[in-house]
Amino acid sequence: MPYGDGMTARARSEERRAEIVRAALAVIAERGYRGASMAAVAERVGLTQQGLLHHFPTKDALLVAVLRERDRWDAVPDSRWRVDLLASLVEYNATRPGVVQTFSALLGESVTEGHPAREYFTERYTRVRAGMAAALRTEYGDRLPNGLTPERTAPLLVAVMDGLQYQWLLDPGSVDMPGAFRDFLRLLGEPVG
Amino acid sequence: MPYGDGMTARARSEERRAEIVRAALAVIAERGYRGASMAAVAERVGLTQQGLLHHFPTKDALLVAVLRERDRWDAVPDSRWRVDLLASLVEYNATRPGVVQTFSALLGESVTEGHPAREYFTERYTRVRAGMAAALRTEYGDRLPNGLTPERTAPLLVAVMDGLQYQWLLDPGSVDMPGAFRDFLRLLGEPVG
DNA sequence: ACGGTCACCTGTCGATCGGTAGGTTTCGTT
DNA sequence: AACGAAACCTACCGATCGACAGGTGACCGT
């Protein structure tokens, strides 16, 4: 049996890469993408910087892997989603400040010029808004309380989630992120169902 | 008359510093704070990096001046504010993408460890939330529609403003920031006045 | 047993970073 | 005219950045 631990070479390699991505997530949370150094990521997994470059030939390649990991981690909502599941997602996020911090830092950086994650976030938000609108429509119908449409409510939903994350990260003791998000959902009223 | 242009030496110096701060705002908008280099700011005002260091001895000192400038630029709301003035502020912001981008980038960076603007933003949001709550109370009284209190609504108001800015910066053509913000205000219902 | 691929290393590079040291010029004050 | 301070410069520093080149050893399939 190869490697003596039941792993093929390929599986072992993927495990190593996953370990690196996890370390990159942590380093980006601490210093942002521009502030994150390949050497810092390498050290965290017990490699030299050049050993790291063997797995990810450039810094951008590592970022791509990080963003891909996020896509696996939280699936984009679509019409099958229920809005109250979002509340659970926010609650779960409140237990994972590290991950939240990583992507909040990346989102903030991404609005700067030529940032490698800019296109990713632009497309992601387009998809997320569309998915949210679809979810709202299946749950509330074409008309939300207060005369809003699902399409006009979706950006607000996304904005509240993101904005609360920044306030919560800066001052966790002063902001009840899940509670505030539930407050917002209450503003939307009860679904017709 | 000194300087032949009616300016004292002190006024001339302050003008120069203001010019530098303006350049720093632009560079930070393009590259964030960590990505902004003193040399880039200096070049934009026609100085060498060392000439810039004469006016601001460290990079952090320049950042402090930038943040102070913001405090002059948009005053924190208090109980004398009216909520519909916020809509005007958002509308105004939509005409100044550069400034919005600067502070959105800074906010994103500020959640990383040891960021020099972290304390600034933490305190600022505490003040802003308190001011918003006071403004909401004078306008809506102790109870908002849907049973919310001013204190619980304020974080949502701030979150919507910030979150919409990110979506708008990433894809201005797809997000109507002022319109979406007015939609949110409509969710709050009509003030009792 | 062997050839080859994979994982990782040492060594090094040029660019850029923020910051220091120490001039020199400009200009208002006296 | 003389002085001093402010403004800005050249020159340089050590550290750090991402990345390239070229090796070495372990482990795989054959």
Side-chain angles (χ1 to χ4, degrees):
Chain A
M1 188 176 290
Y3 284 95
D5 53 4
M7 276 188 172
T8 74
R10 180 181 201 85
R12 195 177 181 91
S13 180
E14 279 178 15
E15 167 110 347
R16 197 72 158 130
R17 287 172 56 100
E19 194 182 344
I20 291 171
V21 168
R22 250 175 285 138
L25 277 166
V27 173
I28 292 174
E30 288 172 10
R31 315 264 306 159
Y33 175 69
R34 283 209 171 92
S37 73
M38 297 294 275
V41 176
E43 189 194 15
R44 202 172 284 245
V45 290
L47 282 179
T48 63
Q49 187 219 152
Q50 295 75 6
L52 170 59
L53 283 170
H54 170 72
H55 294 278
F56 297 96
T58 66
K59 194 183 178 184
D60 276 19
L62 180 53
L63 178 62
V64 166
V66 165
L67 297 176
R68 218 183 290 277
E69 175 68 16
R70 157 163 221 182
D71 281 336
R72 285 201 327 147
W73 181 70
D74 72 354
V76 169
D78 59 21
S79 62
R80 296 188 311 268
W81 267 67
R82 300 255 326 273
V83 171
D84 57 337
L85 282 184
L86 282 180
S88 308
L89 175 59
V90 172
E91 213 142 344
Y92 175 64
N93 282 343
T95 69
R96 307 284 304 259
V99 180
V100 172
Q101 188 166 320
T102 299
F103 291 103
S104 294
L106 279 177
L107 172 60
E109 277 183 302
S110 72
V111 304
T112 61
E113 285 173 19
H115 194 280
R118 170 150 203 167
E119 195 182 327
Y120 169 83
F121 277 109
T122 304
E123 291 175 359
R124 180 168 205 279
Y125 276 104
T126 299
R127 284 194 338 262
V128 167
R129 279 192 300 263
M132 294 264 189
L136 286 168
R137 172 160 282 114
T138 58
E139 203 150 347
Y140 288 86
D142 285 344
R143 310 204 114 203
L144 281 280
N146 301 286
L148 285 177
T149 65
E151 279 71 22
R152 278 163 64 191
T153 309
L156 294 178
L157 210 46
V158 178
V160 168
M161 292 182 70
D162 287 341
L164 284 177
Q165 284 180 357
Y166 285 108
Q167 293 182 59
W168 175 69
L169 286 171
L170 286 172
D171 200 351
S174 298
V175 178
D176 172 18
M177 181 167 68
F181 186 70
R182 279 193 302 268
D183 283 345
F184 175 73
L185 290 183
R186 211 166 299 132
L187 277 179
L188 293 181
E190 290 299 316
V192 289
Chain B
M1 190 176 289
Y3 283 97
D5 55 3
M7 276 188 172
T8 74
R10 181 180 200 87
R12 194 175 181 92
S13 179
E14 279 179 15
E15 168 109 346
R16 196 74 159 132
R17 286 171 57 100
E19 194 182 344
I20 291 170
V21 167
R22 250 175 284 138
L25 277 166
V27 173
I28 292 174
E30 287 171 12
R31 316 264 305 160
Y33 175 68
R34 283 209 170 93
S37 73
M38 297 295 273
V41 176
E43 189 194 16
R44 200 172 285 246
V45 290
L47 282 179
T48 62
Q49 188 218 150
Q50 294 74 8
L52 169 60
L53 283 170
H54 170 71
H55 295 278
F56 297 96
T58 68
K59 194 183 178 183
D60 276 19
L62 180 53
L63 178 63
V64 166
V66 165
L67 297 177
R68 217 182 289 277
E69 174 68 16
R70 156 162 224 182
D71 281 337
R72 286 203 326 148
W73 181 70
D74 74 354
V76 169
D78 59 21
S79 61
R80 296 188 311 269
W81 268 66
R82 301 254 328 270
V83 171
D84 57 338
L85 282 183
L86 281 180
S88 309
L89 174 60
V90 172
E91 213 142 346
Y92 175 64
N93 283 343
T95 69
R96 307 283 306 256
V99 179
V100 172
Q101 188 166 319
T102 299
F103 291 103
S104 294
L106 279 177
L107 172 60
E109 277 183 302
S110 73
V111 304
T112 61
E113 286 173 18
H115 193 281
R118 170 150 203 168
E119 196 182 327
Y120 169 83
F121 277 109
T122 304
E123 291 176 358
R124 181 169 203 280
Y125 276 104
T126 300
R127 284 196 337 261
V128 167
R129 279 191 300 263
M132 294 266 191
L136 286 168
R137 174 159 281 115
T138 58
E139 204 152 348
Y140 289 86
D142 285 344
R143 308 205 116 203
L144 281 280
N146 300 285
L148 286 178
T149 64
E151 279 70 25
R152 277 164 63 191
T153 309
L156 295 177
L157 211 46
V158 177
V160 168
M161 292 183 70
D162 286 342
L164 284 178
Q165 284 180 356
Y166 284 108
Q167 294 182 59
W168 175 70
L169 286 170
L170 286 172
D171 200 350
S174 298
V175 178
D176 172 18
M177 181 168 68
F181 186 70
R182 280 193 302 268
D183 283 345
F184 175 73
L185 291 184
R186 211 167 299 132
L187 277 178
L188 294 181
E190 291 299 315
V192 289

